[in-house]
Amino acid sequence: MASSEHPAVGCKTCAFFSEAILKTIRGEAVGENIIRLAASFDPKCATCKYTLDSFARLAPNSPLQLTCPMRLDCFPQKRFFFRTGCGCWDHSAYHLELLPSSELAPTSVHYKIIDADTIDISSLKRWPEYCEQHHEDCRPTPTQPPVTDMILIDVDEHRLVQFPGTPPKYTTLSYVWGVLPDILETRISNFSTLQLPSSLASPEILPRLPLTIQDAIKVTRDMGERYLWVDRLCIIQDDEANKAQQIASMASIYANSQFTIIAADGADANTGLHGVGSSRPFPDLPILEFSPECRMRPGPETEEARYFTTWHNRAWTFQERLLSRRSLVFFRGSVIWQCKCSVWVEGAAAEPDGMVVDETWRTEKKRPAHLAFDRHFIFELKTPKRPDFRYFEGLVRQYQRRRMTYQADGLRAFSGILDVLSRTYDGGFLHGMPKMFFDVAMLWEPQAGSKPRLVAPGSRELMFPSWSWASFQGSVANNLSDHTFGNNPSIELTPVVRWYHAPADEPISFVNLTPHLARMFKQGGVGGLDLKFFDVPTIDTGGLTVEKEKLGWLLHGSVSVASFRVQPEKEETSKLVRVAWEEEVAPFVNYHFVDSSGKIVGRLKVPFTREDPVLEKDTLCECIVISEGKAYYTRSKWLKEIYLPEWGLNEETRELEEFHFYNVLWVERREGIAYRRGCGTIWKEAWDRQNPEVRDIVLG
């Protein structure tokens, strides 16, 4: 029963919902209008009160009104969801799932009675066993070869073991390091000691071993596995060669593990795994009695955005989760299993518990949103047969929103994802930029709150090339990419610059060869190829005052160059915004490019930083063309109003059905090298009127 107050017997609202639930369980059809107003829920009825209180917790700043309709969605698969039907933005996305008891629906998902204090790890062994036997898609693939020369924790002998060849089966751990004093890590000086039997359990070392790692060792052993990989212990932290090799192999390390233990709770490595080494804050889920024949229980808490923790906001954990084939997630006192085929929750029975797999979700269009233990609420790294730039851009956007302690790790923490994608992306990646989509990828724009990754506060030197999204921390977006891909794109982009790469002691190579070749094939076919196109120019880098290892940052090419004056779109540019890393920074600033007569001919977006104040009116900006675009009004009317506002703000172009423009970078030169400062678009005819010059440029 939900509480000491009276049960639902005699409550007309509960009786109404009970009838629909029982009909669904019997296989009878029910209508879609199973709705009662919030005013009809009796606060003296325990079931009604729990339902209202649940939505109050979900949307504390937007309480339900008495006139809000409450809908019960009943699905043939015996899944039941309360949700609001009023369309109120603040709480319409929330829901309360109801699980039937095993007596009510013995062949469907139902709640399980579990220990509210301790997780029974041995009962969870059914999850990887069932997945291994029945989920072919979750097994290791040849594209992720095992890593050799691995260090693993032997959880039986409590020591480190080094495997020069192919390692045995192992699990991995994903957790938050945090800032803790005197934490154990493997170094050259103690590596031999940590390989001794029982060394990790010794009185001298065990107190320095974080609780999360101690609990992960116990979980690995109780789940029937022998070896565990933990970055801080299985990478020799002061051995740069070992560290580089392990980071470069991150995709294979996580993809080949039996499963990854996700320590999603807490802000540091001493939080532990609740329910393993310490008691857990497990929610007390009541039994809801809609009628004597209809007893339900609220579904277990799900891994949803409103509950996200420090772990969900860290950069390194992003790829660790995506690269893992299977994850055992410790979250808010409960445990969730996620693989490529299923998501299961400790408090709900599923296929490993003998439930029938219901495939009707695949054939019916009608399905509820956010099922924590259904197939579609799944984090996974897709490996499409054909490269998908929009998918890649989405990964970058999510990753860049996350925090990291050391900004120099900006690409390392994403390297495993790039390693996987490189198998289908022609040419791979250069400083995080896909070579086959290089011209489109260069159009990234920092979003509000983003700021450059500088080698030191107050410095102007970036940690990464200015043309790469990695040069900024914070979210970046490619606002034109949504319009440039698909069967009938509203924007067509054409590359106009052949970029070359000339790293130290390596041959000169094309960077963006693929789009140029595709254009040539489209225009003239194979027979129309100009062999001179493949000639690589001689590039002399001897006159550049740049460190040898940074020569690989530079792009060389011949570009069209012109200068335009800019005017801020808005006068107010000093407003600060709060961003993920809890620091107040200013947003980006939009400018208009204007011609000599003052007409608006383009737009420039510049990130605002304390080091670089807002540009004054009529500031002259040197720009280079990086690609040519053609926009079609008939295919998207939003282009003129939002993405290419200069189209509608100039009387010469306002009525045109097609808008021809150049994508440009505003660059600043220092010691013979041009650095990107902003990205924008300029009306093609206005650019040509400016009598641009073609010059060789080095972009750093």
Side-chain angles (χ1 to χ4, degrees):
M1 199 174 298
S3 75
S4 60
E5 300 181 61
H6 73 73
V9 179
C11 175
K12 294 181 180 179
T13 298
C14 288
F16 171 76
F17 290 123
S18 172
E19 182 181 1
I21 292 170
L22 293 175
K23 277 186 176 181
T24 302
I25 288 174
R26 291 194 298 265
E28 300 174 18
V30 295
E32 295 187 357
N33 296 318
I34 310 170
I35 300 173
R36 282 292 184 267
L37 297 181
S40 69
F41 283 66
D42 184 355
K44 294 181 180 180
C45 167
T47 298
C48 286
K49 184 177 185 301
Y50 181 86
T51 304
L52 294 176
D53 289 347
S54 295
F55 278 88
R57 290 192 299 271
L58 294 174
N61 298 322
S62 181
L64 291 174
Q65 304 299 314
L66 294 177
T67 54
C68 286
M70 299 288 290
R71 178 191 300 274
L72 179 66
D73 288 333
C74 300
F75 292 88
Q77 298 82 0
K78 302 179 181 63
R79 306 295 291 269
F80 305 91
F81 296 84
F82 263 128
R83 64 181 177 88
T84 56
C86 55
C88 297
W89 177 261
D90 290 319
H91 56 248
S92 62
Y94 298 123
H95 65 264
L96 171 65
E97 177 162 10
L98 303 175
L99 299 181
S101 66
S102 57
E103 294 80 14
L104 209 57
T107 61
S108 181
V109 173
H110 61 77
Y111 62 79
K112 295 191 296 184
I113 303 299
I114 57 179
D115 192 314
D117 186 61
T118 304
I119 295 169
D120 181 10
I121 298 295
S122 61
S123 69
L124 305 186
K125 289 177 64 176
R126 290 194 295 270
W127 289 349
E129 290 171 356
Y130 185 94
C131 178
E132 189 69 34
Q133 293 174 13
H134 298 90
H135 295 166
E136 186 175 347
D137 291 343
C138 298
R139 294 166 189 163
T141 63
T143 58
Q144 295 288 357
V147 180
T148 58
D149 195 21
M150 284 187 71
I151 299 170
L152 297 172
I153 300 172
D154 185 328
V155 301
D156 288 344
E157 298 187 1
H158 295 278
R159 66 186 183 110
L160 299 184
V161 181
Q162 189 167 22
F163 295 92
T166 302
K169 294 192 305 178
Y170 62 92
T171 64
T172 42
L173 174 66
S174 176
Y175 66 113
V176 176
W177 281 23
V179 180
L180 297 171
D182 196 31
I183 288 300
L184 179 68
E185 62 182 22
T186 300
R187 305 186 73 83
I188 296 173
S189 59
N190 66 5
F191 185 37
S192 296
T193 300
L194 296 179
Q195 294 180 78
L196 299 176
S198 300
S199 58
L200 295 178
S202 67
E204 298 80 17
I205 292 178
L206 184 60
R208 298 178 57 207
L209 195 63
L211 295 179
T212 298
I213 298 178
Q214 293 185 38
D215 289 348
I217 290 173
K218 184 178 188 304
V219 168
T220 298
R221 185 173 58 249
D222 291 348
M223 293 288 282
E225 302 295 338
R226 173 94 184 249
Y227 298 101
L228 168 68
W229 187 91
V230 179
D231 54 3
R232 203 145 194 174
L233 295 179
C234 299
I235 299 176
I236 303 176
Q237 298 298 314
D238 57 349
D239 184 336
E240 293 304 320
N242 177 261
K243 182 182 289 188
Q245 184 265 340
Q246 292 289 296
I247 291 176
S249 303
M250 203 65 72
S252 292
I253 289 174
Y254 279 93
N256 284 293
S257 71
Q258 292 299 100
F259 54 84
T260 296
I261 299 168
I262 305 288
D265 290 323
D268 58 47
N270 250 345
T271 300
L273 303 176
H274 296 310
V276 177
S278 61
S279 60
R280 56 174 169 172
F282 192 77
D284 182 18
L285 299 178
I287 295 174
L288 304 177
E289 190 169 333
F290 288 88
S291 69
E293 302 81 19
C294 183
R295 305 173 82 231
M296 312 285 280
R297 173 165 283 181
E301 288 188 345
T302 63
E303 192 180 7
E304 297 180 13
R306 65 178 178 271
Y307 296 140
F308 280 0
T309 63
T310 301
W311 181 91
H312 293 91
N313 292 315
R314 299 298 294 179
W316 280 98
T317 60
F318 180 70
Q319 72 169 2
E320 291 166 2
R321 181 68 171 272
L322 287 178
L323 295 169
S324 300
R325 294 180 295 122
R326 308 177 178 114
S327 297
L328 189 68
V329 186
F330 289 79
F331 181 63
R332 291 175 62 83
S334 187
V335 188
I336 302 168
W337 171 271
Q338 176 210 303
C339 59
K340 293 183 177 181
C341 298
S342 296
V343 180
W344 301 316
V345 182
E346 183 191 13
E351 296 99 318
D353 305 293
M355 297 298 99
V356 176
V357 181
D358 196 325
E359 295 293 334
T360 51
W361 289 130
R362 298 184 182 276
T363 58
E364 291 189 10
K365 293 183 179 179
K366 187 173 71 170
R367 59 188 293 176
H370 273 0
L371 304 185
F373 38 95
D374 206 295
R375 292 180 176 84
H376 86 283
F377 187 59
I378 292 179
F379 298 96
E380 65 172 313
L381 180 59
K382 299 177 182 177
T383 51
K385 295 180 180 178
R386 292 184 298 176
D388 184 343
F389 177 77
R390 293 174 66 184
Y391 174 67
F392 163 76
E393 193 265 335
L395 290 174
V396 171
R397 190 181 303 207
Q398 293 180 62
Y399 166 74
Q400 282 287 92
R401 292 171 179 162
R402 297 194 170 210
R403 307 177 192 176
M404 62 177 59
T405 303
Y406 304 104
Q407 293 303 319
D409 290 338
L411 278 175
R412 288 180 192 150
F414 199 68
S415 60
I417 293 174
L418 294 178
D419 181 30
V420 173
L421 296 179
S422 291
R423 299 185 181 100
T424 54
Y425 280 67
D426 184 20
F429 294 80
L430 184 64
H431 296 284
M433 302 279 280
K435 289 185 178 181
M436 69 179 302
F437 295 116
F438 200 82
D439 301 87
V440 180
M442 289 185 77
L443 303 180
W444 60 269
E445 298 174 353
Q447 300 302 287
S450 298
K451 60 180 183 179
R453 287 188 165 110
L454 302 173
V455 295
S459 168
R460 296 187 64 82
E461 185 180 353
L462 295 166
M463 289 183 173
F464 301 97
S466 68
W467 42 265
S468 169
W469 54 264
S471 64
F472 268 73
Q473 56 176 310
S475 185
V476 299
N478 197 310
N479 292 319
L480 293 186
S481 66
D482 288 343
H483 304 276
T484 56
F485 294 93
N487 295 327
N488 192 31
S490 53
I491 293 179
E492 295 178 359
L493 294 183
T494 303
V496 296
V497 183
R498 280 186 290 169
W499 294 108
Y500 300 93
H501 188 224
D505 304 323
E506 294 182 28
I508 300 168
S509 62
F510 287 99
V511 173
N512 58 339
L513 179 62
T514 303
H516 287 282
L517 282 176
R519 181 185 181 193
M520 294 179 69
F521 272 96
K522 184 177 180 180
Q523 292 176 346
V526 179
L529 284 179
D530 179 4
L531 295 181
K532 292 182 180 179
F533 176 86
F534 297 96
D535 293 342
V536 179
T538 300
I539 296 176
D540 181 14
T541 59
L544 298 174
T545 56
V546 62
E547 299 171 23
K548 184 177 180 180
E549 60 269 19
K550 290 188 177 180
L551 289 175
W553 287 23
L554 306 179
L555 297 179
H556 306 261
S558 294
V559 298
S560 181
V561 182
S563 295
F564 281 82
R565 299 189 183 279
V566 296
Q567 297 176 353
E569 279 189 3
K570 298 179 181 179
E571 295 298 326
E572 177 58 49
T573 56
S574 59
K575 184 178 179 181
L576 299 179
V577 296
R578 185 169 293 278
V579 292
W581 44 86
E582 298 178 353
E583 176 184 345
E584 285 192 338
V585 297
F588 52 79
V589 182
N590 290 329
Y591 298 87
H592 290 309
F593 285 116
V594 296
D595 62 13
S596 57
S597 64
K599 293 180 181 178
I600 296 174
V601 295
R603 190 189 197 200
L604 175 67
K605 181 173 286 189
V606 181
F608 178 88
T609 66
R610 293 184 175 91
E611 293 80 10
D612 299 305
V614 176
L615 298 176
E616 295 183 1
K617 183 178 180 181
D618 291 332
T619 297
L620 195 63
C621 294
E622 181 184 7
C623 298
I624 64 172
V625 170
I626 56 174
S627 59
E628 182 179 342
K630 184 190 298 184
Y632 299 91
Y633 182 73
T634 54
R635 300 179 188 176
S636 176
K637 296 177 174 55
W638 292 105
L639 293 175
K640 190 182 295 186
E641 286 79 10
I642 298 178
Y643 298 101
L644 297 167
E646 63 272 22
W647 186 353
L649 294 176
N650 187 326
E651 64 270 17
E652 292 185 78
T653 61
R654 188 175 298 142
E655 303 303 324
L656 295 177
E657 291 294 314
E658 295 181 9
F659 183 68
H660 295 248
F661 62 94
Y662 286 124
N663 289 302
V664 301
L665 298 183
W666 167 38
V667 297
E668 180 182 71
R669 295 178 185 268
R670 298 196 301 271
E671 298 180 339
I673 299 175
Y675 295 90
R676 168 186 166 138
R677 290 291 310 281
C679 182
T681 55
I682 295 180
W683 178 32
K684 184 175 184 295
E685 188 171 324
W687 179 275
D688 294 338
R689 290 174 184 171
Q690 203 75 2
N691 297 318
E693 299 180 17
V694 176
R695 302 179 196 164
D696 291 338
I697 195 172
V698 179
L699 187 62

